[in-house]
Amino acid sequence: METIIQKVNPEFFEDEELKKGCGILQSGGLVAFPTETVYGLGGDALSPEAAHRIYAAKGRPSDNPLIVHVADIDGVCDVARNISQEAWALAKAFWPGPLTMIFDKQEKVPLSTTGGLETVAVRMPVHPVAAALIRCSGIYIAAPSANISGRPSPTKAEHVIEDLNGRIEMILDGGQVGIGIESTILDMTDKIPVILRPGYITKEMLEEVIGEVKIDPAVTIEEFDRSIVAKAPGMKYRHYAPKGRLTIVEGRPEKVVERINALVHEKEEEHKKVAVIAAEESKADYRCREVYSIGSRKTEGSIAAGLYDILRKMDDIGAEYIFAESFAEDGMGQAIMNRMLKAAGYHRIRA
Ligand code: TXA
Ligand code: MG
């Protein structure tokens, strides 16, 4: 299949480009598009055929449910039931934006979209291209991240092209996304809401609006543990993983530098391809041919935005061993470390 790759200006989405994208979605086709978090692979959320095509294009297990993207409150009520006062308060505070909430599903949402579950994940994106596509197509868009299953989520159209060119009808290239890690997922079907996936909207931000919020144990585990069943089916899969062996090194900054330099030396002696992932502030301290800055420690946002691009680069350069600094786990740092630990298969050492 020939994939149409269309550059779009997020501030000024031209009629013709928009119409083409909407036409493809309306006729059951797939369109990848930018959101504020990562690129999504969109299809008609109410069409089982479109859902099957999404799973096939991504190579994703079909028990892993898709997020339904809506443009307004009417859309929320049309796909979800039993929406609590707390949920409306969160919607008012954070929608449109990078928060996904899980509710009981309405009959019309097919089980193929929800991976066989009676619940549905709903999100109202704020990115102008995503919002315009939903509005103008008149369709609720089921959209997982637009990557091949298991690879890091795409934060640029180039990543989508790498993974999905020739497998879908259209890619809308709106440049680099702003946040760079996926939305916070909050399960609203329990009495006390539960964070199933940490993201830009932190526990503290949610608690400020509705009081107590829990975190699913699968989010905070220290190592892969089969006895803990993640409530978001997608969180159980090995994710974001580069092909090389990624090790996260923790400890006092000088100790981390020392230990990583020693590890790099050891592996380079063995003629292995080695890379280091460091913060902007410390990247000059490493003696390694391949040192990548992930962003500044002063702005968690820059680290989140750079993470997936760097994980993909590790494969591009054929890194066999990768050593990464660790980052603070408060605020959005929890989402960053959650993704890094998964990418490392929970392999971390103390310097
Ligand atoms: O930021 C995002 O959320 C991006 C953009 C495109 O919106 N989407 C995204 O989708 O990350 P995806 O499919 O890559 O991740 C969705 C996650 C999966 O872990 C899935 O298991 C979980 O949400 N999920 C979806 N519906 C669920 C449900 N009904 N119950 C529990 N978990 C659910
Ligand atoms: Mg994904």
Side-chain angles (χ1 to χ4, degrees):
M1 172 190 315
E2 174 103 41
T3 301
I4 304 167
I5 299 170
Q6 178 70 60
K7 274 208 182 327
V8 294
N9 175 352
E11 302 313 318
F12 186 73
F13 199 1
E14 295 203 36
D15 264 4
E16 205 168 308
E17 302 161 348
L18 180 58
K19 270 198 205 122
K20 212 188 276 173
C22 292
I24 291 170
L25 288 169
Q26 285 159 346
S27 55
L30 306 186
V31 178
F33 59 96
T35 80
E36 64 276 20
T37 55
V38 298
Y39 274 75
L41 171 57
D44 182 349
L46 302 187
S47 152
E49 292 74 29
H52 290 139
R53 286 207 50 211
I54 290 175
Y55 289 120
K58 276 181 67 85
R60 171 167 174 154
S62 57
D63 67 344
N64 188 0
L66 310 173
I67 296 175
V68 177
H69 296 68
V70 300
D72 48 37
I73 296 299
D74 286 349
V76 182
C77 299
D78 212 14
V79 298
R81 296 182 299 121
N82 299 332
I83 303 169
S84 62
Q85 285 308 315
E86 284 82 10
W88 287 125
L90 292 172
K92 191 155 175 257
F94 301 114
W95 276 351
L99 173 67
T100 297
M101 286 194 270
I102 295 180
F103 303 109
D104 293 332
K105 78 173 188 71
Q106 293 279 10
E107 194 70 46
K108 67 171 71 163
V109 181
L111 290 170
S112 349
T113 298
T114 64
L117 299 175
E118 287 301 328
T119 54
V120 62
V122 185
R123 170 157 125 74
M124 195 187 290
V126 69
H127 193 289
V129 172
L133 267 184
I134 306 167
R135 273 214 178 86
C136 302
S137 64
I139 275 177
Y140 306 130
I141 304 183
S145 49
N147 51 286
I148 292 285
S149 201
R151 298 208 73 202
S153 294
T155 53
K156 301 173 175 175
E158 288 76 9
H159 299 159
V160 184
I161 295 168
E162 252 169 55
D163 283 10
L164 298 176
N165 197 14
R167 302 168 75 98
I168 61 177
E169 277 77 8
M170 188 178 204
I171 298 172
L172 292 170
D173 175 357
Q176 168 135 23
V177 299
I179 294 176
I181 52 175
E182 307 84 348
S183 62
T184 306
I185 301 182
L186 188 64
D187 185 354
M188 299 303 296
T189 64
D190 274 353
K191 220 174 171 63
I192 299 173
V194 185
I195 295 176
L196 305 187
R197 179 175 72 183
Y200 180 83
I201 308 285
T202 63
K203 181 171 189 280
E204 295 72 30
M205 289 159 80
L206 296 167
E207 287 186 331
E208 208 159 289
V209 180
I210 56 165
E212 189 186 1
V213 166
K214 289 189 179 148
I215 298 185
D216 190 51
V219 170
T220 47
I221 50 173
E222 296 287 311
E223 56 199 78
F224 186 70
D225 179 350
R226 272 179 206 289
S227 68
I228 296 179
V229 180
K231 202 160 176 208
M235 297 295 275
K236 76 181 174 219
Y237 297 107
R238 188 174 142 90
H239 248 143
Y240 325 115
K243 295 193 185 82
R245 178 85 162 113
L246 169 61
T247 302
I248 295 170
V249 185
E250 299 177 324
R252 289 223 316 276
E254 331 71 81
K255 290 280 169 211
V256 169
V257 169
E258 206 174 284
R259 184 70 181 272
I260 289 182
N261 277 331
L263 287 163
V264 167
H265 182 71
E266 183 188 312
K267 292 298 171 195
E268 283 187 344
E269 291 275 278
E270 294 169 13
H271 303 288
K272 300 291 185 198
K273 178 87 177 176
V274 189
V276 172
I277 300 178
E280 185 59 30
E281 289 81 358
S282 44
K283 73 169 189 211
D285 301 336
Y286 291 99
R287 294 186 302 276
C288 178
R289 274 182 277 272
E290 305 279 359
V291 182
Y292 290 85
S293 161
I294 193 174
S296 169
R297 284 186 188 276
K298 291 187 204 107
T299 46
E300 284 171 334
S302 73
I303 292 172
L307 178 61
Y308 291 149
D309 191 44
I310 288 209
L311 291 178
R312 280 179 180 259
K313 275 210 187 91
M314 296 298 111
D315 288 350
D316 297 344
I317 64 165
E320 294 167 282
Y321 288 89
I322 307 152
F323 300 103
E325 296 180 348
S326 73
F327 296 89
E329 285 180 60
D330 50 348
M332 217 214 321
Q334 181 167 51
I336 294 167
M337 283 307 289
N338 169 264
R339 307 309 195 274
M340 283 186 72
L341 280 167
K342 274 169 163 282
Y346 299 98
H347 188 230
R348 60 170 150 185
I349 57 176
R350 256 204 108 68

